[in-house]
Amino acid sequence: QVQLVESGGGLVQAGDSLKLSCTASGRTFSDYDMGWFRQAPGREREFVAAISPFGRDTYFADSIKGRSGISRDYVSSVYLEMNSLRPEDTAVYYCVARGGPGNYDSYSTAGEYPYWGQGTQVSVSS
């Protein structure tokens, strides 16, 4: 059974940095695209970042581009490091995975990912 488990969320102040981790189990994910989505209260789930197998390609939402990084360990874990956090980054962050590499124009589509974690809360105070 495939399972994705996120960790690293918490309450931080604006301007702080945070690193989220996701560990997958149930199979080897080295050939899977992995990434992150987030959902803020009252808002739709939105794409954050994704990384292709072996870290060859990375993709970021405009909202975090330039202040975040995504990496993976090529086996079963993916990481999202966010810097200069803002109150609008407050959301539940979900780890996702799909067989890869997928089409480059579908990385930001939630429906393209069959595997989702339970989410970890990130709260940024002003």
Side-chain angles (χ1 to χ4, degrees), residues 7-13 15-21 67-69 79-85 89 91 93 120-124:
S7 62
L11 174 63
V12 298
Q13 293 186 334
D16 285 351
S17 298
L18 201 63
K19 185 174 183 178
L20 305 181
S21 301
R67 58 186 183 96
S68 295
Y79 309 94
L80 178 68
E81 184 163 4
M82 297 182 291
N83 304 305
S84 302
L85 283 162
D89 294 319
Y93 284 70
T120 185
Q121 176 71 48
V122 172
S123 299
V124 184

Side-chain angles (χ1 to χ4, degrees), residues 2-108:
V2 172
Q3 189 173 18
L4 305 178
V5 179
E6 304 95 337
S7 62
L11 174 63
V12 298
Q13 293 186 334
D16 285 351
S17 298
L18 201 63
K19 185 174 183 178
L20 305 181
S21 301
C22 171
T23 299
S25 60
R27 61 155 289 144
T28 300
F29 281 79
S30 57
D31 56 345
Y32 272 46
D33 296 324
M34 298 187 77
W36 296 87
F37 281 72
R38 69 185 182 186
Q39 187 166 22
R43 301 188 64 176
E44 293 187 355
R45 199 167 289 187
E46 65 176 2
F47 170 74
V48 177
I51 187 167
S52 64
F54 307 105
R56 178 172 298 175
D57 299 300
T58 58
Y59 305 87
F60 295 93
D62 289 342
S63 59
I64 67 164
K65 193 175 296 182
R67 58 186 183 96
S68 295
I70 187 169
S71 60
R72 62 188 299 169
D73 68 359
Y74 310 135
V75 177
S76 62
S77 295
V78 63
Y79 309 94
L80 178 68
E81 184 163 4
M82 297 182 291
N83 304 305
S84 302
L85 283 162
R86 306 165 182 169
E88 53 265 40
D89 294 319
T90 295
V92 176
Y93 284 70
Y94 297 91
C95 177
V96 298
R98 69 173 185 179
N103 293 329
Y104 77 96
D105 59 353
S106 66
Y107 275 92
S108 62

